[in-house]
Amino acid sequence: MKALKADFKRSSGELEDDEKKAVSQERSEFEHQEDVSIWKEFKKGNESAFNFIYERYFAILYNYGCQFTKDRELVKDHIQDLFVDLKIKRSKLGDTTSIKFYLFKSLKRKILRALGKTNYLVYDKNAYKNYDFEIVLSHESHLIHSQLDIEVKEKLEEIFKKLTKRQKEAILYYYHEGLSYKEIASLMNFSRVEYARMLISRAKARLRKEIRNLKDVFLAILPMIVSILYR
Amino acid sequence: MKRMSKDFHVRYENYALEDFLADDFFIQWVKNPRPESEYFWKSWLAKHPEKTAIITRAKTIVSSVNYKNHQVPSEDEYIETLEKIHKTYLQKTLQKETGTKRYFRSLLKYAASIMLLIATGSLGWILYDKYNSTRLSDRNNQPTEYRTKATDKGQKSTVVLADGSAVKLNAQSQIRFPEKFEPHVREVFLEGEAFFDVKEDAERPFIIRTGEITTKVLGTSFNIKANPNGHKIQVTVVSGKVQVNSGAKDQDASLTSAVLLPSEMLTFYPAEEKIVKEKVATHDFVAWKDGILVFKKATFKEVISELEAWYGVEISVNEIPADRRFSGEFNKMSLESVLKGIGFSLGFEYVIEGKTVKIRVF
């Protein structure tokens, strides 16, 4: 049974790889390139670099935009607008080491402006009322989690749930989008990078403390469980 | 990297799950692996194989942080938005350009590859050409130096332009192009038929003036045909998407507008300002460039003039039967074999004498 399972896993894994290969064949040119060089190619007028950027970021931007508003049409309109702008200003654009950050920054500005938050630079509690930016720790991963890890995830979700909207936004940039503190600070209009770091650090400190406790509890009751089982 | 790697190696030895979950360097590796972080973690794990399990767990947990309301666009939304981007972009760049010379807004293409076929009357081209060249010299203090390449009957020729774009001219065609293109536009004038392979340059659109239409592209390949006797303009798209706008020469407003998808052909009748859009087999319209002669329900007259142009011969006929039509394809075949084939189905005899052909219909 074990061997069979392993075999199955391997063959399905190979299949996945083959599929991926077929899909990405056309864009393999940029697949492993750094953002800097993809961006340079795009600025030079390379149409396939544009297509690659669109393909890679459309769904990401779509989801991102949908965190600010439920109006999907508005989100799509502004993604469209964003890419049209990029194409028009193509040769005049600056360099970027993170295309994702560049796109996020522009899209957020466009959407907030459209939502009537002309003064979006100023922190406005009401402005965040319609924000989504709720966090989940997905369980759909193909990896098998130990009971402990499931508890860790639940604990994290609980911790994240208690955060403010802005902290949640920052956490998603940090853990999901993989953005740097500098990028997060810029996206959230912090005047100093340190503020972004602080915001996230506080959540992280809680996370460390609570998970440690969790494990202590788990380890404490483990001998009990074992003794019950072996009685 | 080297500087910190030693400290790091030690630092991570005592890390527990929660420490990894809160570590910037670790998280950056999970989210954006780069050659240097890959190298670091791989060698660290090689040194500390017992840590593989905890690293895997931490990685999985970090990767599972997601938007609760994760919205996924549909395939349609993906495509539609991309199409709108191209369309809006072309409209905007066109508006910018035609601000001063907006007299015939035209064909725009925006896709990786595209093929266009356009047929139009040559009279219209001459008028347009005169108008246009005077206008061009008005605009520039230094008149652009133009060169002309022309082909005779039975000839085909390839021209490479200043930007590296290639133009394959069919028989009885002519292209006029500047020695050096202007900074913001690449503009050429075509009479007859040509297949273009345009180098991509989004900053400098490639514009082909053919009779009453302007074909604007930002790169890639297409075919244009100016039929000497035609009173119509035809645009055939093989792949990609094309926007066609047409309007009176001296008026600002474009009268008609249409978007063409692959395998669609638009026929514009300048006299009536009428547009007809239909589905066609694009192969029939671009096969010439590969040496394939195609007839589709061609009238006797059309067959004769096509053969004259293709093989560079003079054909005399004793009569022209109006009711007979011919369809067929000839792949790089001699005039003799082609005449044999067509003669059989249209019903005629022929004699080839050097550059002249005598046909007797029976």
Side-chain angles (χ1 to χ4, degrees), chain A residues 34 47 54 63 67 72 76 132 134 136 138 145 149 174-178 181 204 208 215, chain B residues 18-19 21-22 24 28 31-32 34 57 60 64-69 71 77-78 82 88 200:
Chain A
E34 303 253 332
E47 203 58 29
Y54 180 80
N63 171 63
Q67 305 303 315
R72 287 160 173 245
K76 279 187 285 175
D132 198 294
E134 287 299 325
V136 74
S138 57
H145 296 288
D149 286 355
Y174 182 80
Y175 279 107
H176 184 77
E177 306 292 358
Y181 290 120
K204 288 204 292 197
R208 287 173 73 172
K215 275 201 299 193
Chain B
E18 61 273 19
D19 300 319
L21 294 180
D24 291 337
Q28 273 303 314
K31 300 311 294 185
N32 306 307
R34 299 178 57 83
R57 287 173 59 204
T60 315
S64 71
V65 176
N66 205 341
Y67 294 87
K68 193 172 186 182
N69 170 35
Q71 295 293 320
E77 288 178 309
Y78 173 88
L82 184 59
T88 318
E200 253 187 41

Side-chain angles (χ1 to χ4, degrees), chain A residues 91-150:
Chain A
S91 62
K92 293 170 201 102
L93 294 172
D95 289 331
T96 184
T97 49
S98 170
I99 297 174
K100 186 195 248 181
F101 162 70
Y102 192 100
L103 299 176
F104 270 29
K105 180 87 180 162
S106 319
L107 186 64
K108 186 178 180 181
R109 188 188 303 135
K110 279 177 190 292
I111 288 178
L112 291 195
R113 198 177 287 158
L115 292 174
K117 294 178 183 61
T118 41
N119 60 337
Y120 73 96
L121 284 168
V122 182
Y123 177 70
D124 169 10
K125 210 170 183 184
N126 289 326
Y128 288 83
K129 223 169 42 190
N130 296 319
Y131 272 34
D132 198 294
F133 285 105
E134 287 299 325
I135 304 165
V136 74
L137 271 91
S138 57
H139 295 267
E140 58 211 326
S141 171
H142 60 283
L143 286 161
I144 301 140
H145 296 288
S146 68
Q147 184 56 39
L148 176 59
D149 286 355
I150 291 169

Side-chain angles (χ1 to χ4, degrees), chain A residues 171-200:
Chain A
I171 286 290
L172 280 165
Y173 290 147
Y174 182 80
Y175 279 107
H176 184 77
E177 306 292 358
L179 298 175
S180 70
Y181 290 120
K182 199 176 156 198
E183 289 163 347
I184 295 169
S186 169
L187 270 176
M188 302 189 68
N189 291 308
F190 289 135
S191 54
R192 292 179 58 195
V193 178
E194 279 317 302
Y195 298 154
R197 201 190 296 274
M198 272 161 58
L199 199 67
I200 293 161

Side-chain angles (χ1 to χ4, degrees), chain B residues 212-227:
Chain B
E212 295 206 13
I213 68 160
T214 302
T215 306
K216 182 172 167 179
V217 295
L218 303 164
T220 186
S221 54
F222 50 93
N223 191 64
I224 298 186
K225 184 178 182 179
N227 193 321

Side-chain angles (χ1 to χ4, degrees), chain A residues 42-89:
Chain A
F42 163 67
K43 281 170 60 187
K44 268 196 258 166
N46 186 335
E47 203 58 29
S48 33
F50 173 82
N51 290 336
F52 177 79
I53 293 170
Y54 180 80
E55 192 176 341
R56 177 179 271 185
Y57 293 107
F58 177 72
I60 293 171
L61 288 169
Y62 182 91
N63 171 63
Y64 180 54
C66 287
Q67 305 303 315
F68 297 103
T69 170
K70 288 193 168 59
D71 187 349
R72 287 160 173 245
E73 292 305 313
L74 185 137
V75 171
K76 279 187 285 175
D77 281 354
H78 288 283
I79 294 175
Q80 180 195 323
D81 214 46
L82 164 60
F83 279 107
V84 171
D85 279 2
L86 285 183
K87 276 175 88 96
I88 288 175
K89 294 183 216 145

